[in-house]
Amino acid sequence: MSEIIHLDNSDSSFITANVSNSHNDVVAFEMKFAKDITVAQLKSKLEILTGGCAGTMKVELYKGDNHVTSLTNNDAKLGFYINCDGLRLHVVDTFASFGYNDNETVEKFELTQDQYEQRTNSVRNFLKQNRLGKYNEEEMRQMEEKRREQAEEVQKRAELCIAGSRCQVTVPGNPTRRGTIKYNGELEGKTGIFIGVQYDEPLGKNNGSVGGKAYFVCPPNYGGFVSPLSVEVGDFPPEEFNLDDEL
């Protein structure tokens, strides 16, 4: 789940973060950035560091090996997303290759596993040295326990979502919506269980179809598919919006 890191580091107007990218394993350690620069300005700096394009790159924030959030708002200040040191900014982009035609055969530079193990500037070495991600047994055990608990909770909540039941749907960033459950199961091309709901008002995203496949039928913008964790089953009658007395 995405979250914004806010720790007590208010005395400093700068943060230090490691920078990695989707093109190779090189990590720039402890790069210093001002908290008051915008995400767009940060991307311009990361363009120089990584060779990506500021106009197309995506910037993700990691704590160890765990994805925290994505810096999607170019106008937001960096300090809105990060307020502590020691995190990692990961640049995802289609990095250009210069000086070669697509039809040319270019000899790849490859390392054996032993050679890679001996490198000191690799992501693997960084994770090992700091006992992060899969190299932290306790952290991995806790992550696995959380995954198991969440899977059990999803299954438990899904069993309550019987077709025809009234429900209330709460999804972060959206208004609370009421409706009727129409579908409970998997979606083609998606992972996990989804609950299909026909909302009382046109506050949905579809007509009961996803990717051209119909799972139930309802008017356009009255249908939606959400996680069982977002659905509360109960006696939720349709809300009445009486505007007769409104001035």
Side-chain angles (χ1 to χ4, degrees):
M1 182 180 293
S2 296
E3 59 177 337
I4 297 172
I5 295 292
H6 286 298
L7 297 182
D8 186 14
N9 191 26
S10 57
D11 292 338
S12 174
S13 57
F14 292 86
I15 61 98
T16 57
N18 300 324
V19 178
S20 59
N21 67 82
S22 60
H23 182 55
N24 54 44
D25 291 333
V26 175
V27 178
F29 294 104
E30 297 185 352
M31 303 304 298
K32 191 174 183 179
F33 302 99
K35 294 179 185 177
D36 62 355
I37 64 172
T38 65
V39 171
Q41 292 171 322
L42 171 69
K43 288 181 177 180
S44 295
K45 296 179 181 294
L46 295 178
E47 184 178 66
I48 299 173
L49 279 173
T50 66
C53 175
T56 59
M57 72 171 58
K58 296 180 180 179
V59 181
E60 300 173 342
L61 182 64
Y62 283 80
K63 182 179 181 181
D65 207 29
N66 297 327
H67 179 261
V68 177
T69 191
S70 297
L71 282 61
T72 55
N73 186 351
N74 283 333
D75 296 324
K77 301 291 187 182
L78 177 60
F80 174 76
Y81 289 99
I82 314 175
N83 201 26
C84 67
D85 297 333
L87 303 181
R88 176 165 59 91
L89 293 166
H90 183 67
V91 175
V92 179
D93 199 5
T94 303
F95 293 83
S97 296
F98 301 100
Y100 300 100
N101 296 322
D102 292 339
N103 295 327
E104 290 184 348
T105 301
V106 181
E107 183 178 355
K108 294 182 178 179
F109 174 71
E110 296 182 346
L111 295 174
T112 66
Q113 284 295 324
D114 289 339
Q115 290 173 324
Y116 184 68
E117 285 287 348
Q118 295 173 10
R119 295 190 66 172
T120 59
N121 64 339
S122 67
V123 173
R124 181 184 298 175
N125 183 69
F126 173 76
L127 296 176
K128 282 184 176 181
Q129 292 295 324
N130 294 276
R131 295 182 59 80
L132 298 174
K134 65 181 181 180
Y135 300 104
N136 186 324
E137 294 182 0
E138 178 61 22
E139 182 178 343
M140 293 302 294
R141 186 192 65 77
Q142 293 176 358
M143 288 175 57
E144 182 59 33
E145 180 65 18
K146 287 181 180 179
R147 280 194 290 265
R148 184 187 63 78
E149 291 177 355
Q150 184 177 38
E152 291 178 353
E153 182 63 19
V154 168
Q155 185 62 40
K156 186 186 302 182
R157 296 286 289 272
E159 291 174 357
L160 300 175
C161 296
I162 301 172
S165 299
R166 291 288 299 172
C167 68
Q168 181 167 275
V169 176
T170 304
V171 177
N174 291 277
T176 299
R177 294 163 287 180
R178 291 185 178 183
T180 302
I181 295 174
K182 294 291 186 178
Y183 178 79
N184 183 332
E186 298 180 349
L187 299 181
E188 189 173 305
K190 304 289 184 180
T191 301
I193 300 174
F194 289 84
I195 306 302
V197 179
Q198 178 174 338
Y199 297 115
D200 297 335
E201 301 293 328
L203 299 173
K205 293 185 176 181
N206 53 58
N207 62 350
S209 300
V210 175
K213 181 175 181 179
Y215 295 89
F216 65 92
V217 179
C218 69
N221 298 324
Y222 276 80
F225 294 87
V226 296
S227 165
L229 299 177
S230 300
V231 181
E232 180 182 358
V233 177
D235 183 15
F236 296 107
E239 293 181 302
E240 296 183 2
F241 299 93
N242 189 349
L243 304 180
D244 292 342
D245 297 328
E246 184 173 326
L247 299 178

